[in-house]
Amino acid sequence: MRIDRIELRLVRLPLVHFFETSFGRVHDKAFILVRLLAGGLEAWGECVAEETPYYSSETNETAWHVITGFLAPRLLALDVDDPRQVFPAFRAVRGHNMAKAALEMAAWDLRARAEGQPLSRLLGGARARIASGVSVGIQDSFDDLASKIRTELDAGYRRVKIKIKPGWDIEAVRMVRERFGPIPLMVDANAAYSLADADRLAALDAFDLMMIEQPLDYDDVSDHAQLQRRLKTPICLDESVHSPRAARDAIAAGACRVVNIKPGRIGGFAESIAVHDVCAAHGVPVWHGGMLESGIGRTHNIHLSTLPNFTLPGDVAASRRYFVPDLIDPPVDVAADGTIAVPTAAGIGVAVDVDRVGRATLRFEALTP
Ligand code: NPQ
Ligand code: MG
């Protein structure tokens, strides 16, 4: 099958609650949506880049530039019956994994719809529900943090991750343990520390955390390996694992015992499945990360989370934590047991609300062969 038309929309949605990490606070999310038209079908993808190059070097503007100038022409020239051929077709373009993933994941949705299958089945997943956790940002006070965590535990979520940075770390974790006891708890530093902070990070060993995510630099492996030798707490890598090769090297170096998979960071589903498989082969569990996606990207993530080595609750949570209304109907919801149902209709299996997308659209471009 050939693609007749690729539509790009830059959209902006306000967040229900601000989200703060070690690199700053955001109040809304602007991102690119991809719509593919082929053989009478439509399919969707979402680019997880944002406005600033802080989590990763990509931004909406770099993704727009690279998709329109370099990736879309390659996708339009391709027979997309096999979505596994999309990432290799982008090989001449170095990096820009988020831009590549937005197109590649839309191509998987297209294929699944053409076959009349749910995306999860095409990806090789089996479970009907996924275990959901939450990522709770840095707040203005410990009381605010505690009240957020109370709300999420009451909603049923199966684990809590709090964002940390120097000055909001040991005391925050101590407060959470004192108020909530032995809940499944982890922390994410988004690369805010260096090896000079090893003593401070080792002090977190006292709190029985499930893992500490990406404490050191975004492109580092060897310092993480050194740190892991000093820590009892497992290190989970996020930013550093941008490819199957990076996953293999990090595991071989002893830099992590857990891996966070985000297809945007890794270049799409095919590469993410390869990371999943490398980790499985080495007995390293994975979980699905989140990038404040709308319901479109969120649903893609739900389908990938059905693969067997996703054995830990992920950051894929209900729509209402992020966007009300969401861009899909019905929104993603979490059950009282902290699980999310995997849609069973063809493709991503949810309906995109085109009126809402239209109202949120800031820029539009269509590309044809
Ligand atoms: C993480 N997300 O696991 C990321 C990083 C992150 C849910 O913890 C705007 C858009 C701001 C996406 C900040 C979660 C963001 C963002 C942080 C993603 O590291
Ligand atoms: Mg992270």
Side-chain angles (χ1 to χ4, degrees):
M1 190 186 334
R2 294 274 170 165
I3 292 171
D4 301 319
R5 178 177 160 97
I6 302 173
E7 294 178 356
L8 299 181
R9 288 170 176 80
L10 179 65
V11 303
R12 182 191 300 281
L13 294 175
L15 285 166
V16 167
H17 185 267
F18 70 77
F19 188 63
E20 182 172 330
T21 66
S22 60
F23 45 75
R25 184 178 287 194
V26 292
H27 296 270
D28 52 28
K29 177 104 195 271
F31 54 96
I32 298 168
L33 288 177
V34 173
R35 181 170 175 253
L36 302 181
L37 296 174
L41 297 168
E42 69 163 18
W44 291 85
E46 176 170 337
C47 181
V48 300
E50 29 160 347
E51 290 185 287
T52 54
Y54 301 157
Y55 168 81
S56 98
S57 61
E58 292 185 80
T59 68
N60 290 326
E61 297 303 329
T62 70
W64 194 279
H65 169 64
V66 170
I67 291 171
T68 55
F70 306 96
L71 301 178
R74 285 176 166 82
L75 186 62
L76 290 166
L78 198 68
D79 180 331
V80 288
D81 280 351
D82 181 4
R84 291 177 189 277
Q85 290 175 3
V86 174
F87 186 81
F90 294 157
R91 191 172 185 282
V93 177
R94 305 268 168 96
H96 298 284
N97 278 348
M98 293 178 175
K100 292 174 179 175
L103 294 181
E104 196 250 19
M105 292 162 79
W108 281 89
D109 181 29
L110 178 66
R111 178 69 198 173
R113 290 180 199 240
E115 290 186 13
Q117 290 203 66
L119 181 54
S120 59
R121 193 172 311 152
L122 196 61
L123 293 169
R127 31 177 150 251
R129 308 190 68 87
I130 65 161
S132 181
V134 288
S135 174
V136 179
I138 294 164
Q139 307 295 323
D140 287 330
S141 67
F142 285 173
D143 281 345
D144 286 359
L145 178 62
S147 110
K148 279 253 161 309
I149 292 173
R150 180 79 269 152
T151 303
E152 308 301 3
L153 292 173
D154 288 347
Y157 286 106
R158 296 217 176 165
R159 70 96 167 106
V160 172
K161 155 170 141 183
I162 66 167
K163 293 291 191 175
I164 59 167
K165 66 175 180 181
W168 183 276
D169 46 24
I170 297 171
E171 294 310 316
V173 171
R174 175 176 294 124
M175 181 282 292
V176 175
R177 277 287 181 240
E178 280 171 5
R179 296 205 202 180
F180 298 99
I183 61 168
L185 180 67
M186 59 174 287
V187 295
D188 184 359
N190 286 112
Y193 298 87
S194 75
L195 266 188
D197 303 307
D199 288 340
R200 190 160 190 83
L201 294 166
L204 291 170
D205 274 344
F207 299 100
D208 195 28
L209 299 173
M210 297 168 76
M211 66 195 90
I212 171 166
E213 184 178 347
Q214 196 73 35
L216 308 180
D217 223 346
Y218 74 95
D219 60 350
D220 171 76
V221 166
S222 66
D223 281 2
H224 279 108
Q226 209 171 310
L227 180 65
Q228 182 68 89
R229 286 192 285 274
R230 278 209 50 193
L231 297 185
K232 207 172 62 187
T233 310
I235 290 175
C236 169
L237 290 179
D238 173 354
E239 286 90 328
S240 293
V241 177
H242 49 79
S243 66
R245 189 185 296 147
R248 180 200 66 193
D249 293 349
I251 293 167
C256 62
R257 295 182 193 153
V258 185
V259 169
N260 164 329
I261 290 182
K262 295 173 181 170
R265 189 191 72 227
I266 299 171
F269 282 141
E271 290 289 280
S272 294
I273 294 168
V275 169
H276 165 277
D277 293 350
V278 166
C279 292
H282 291 87
V284 171
V286 304
W287 53 275
H288 205 299
M291 290 293 290
L292 281 54
E293 290 90 345
S294 81
I296 296 169
R298 189 168 298 280
T299 308
H300 280 273
N301 296 347
I302 290 169
H303 285 281
L304 184 62
S305 302
T306 61
L307 270 64
N309 195 33
F310 284 88
T311 52
L312 296 163
D315 278 349
V316 181
S319 294
R320 71 162 56 88
R321 296 194 69 240
Y322 297 95
F323 306 109
V324 177
D326 202 337
L327 299 179
I328 57 166
D329 268 317
V332 175
D333 208 357
V334 69
D337 68 349
T339 64
I340 292 173
V342 181
T344 54
I348 59 174
V350 294
V352 175
D353 187 318
V354 288
D355 289 338
R356 265 178 234 152
V357 171
R359 283 194 295 276
T361 299
L362 307 169
R363 190 194 301 169
F364 174 85
E365 188 168 337
L367 302 129
T368 50

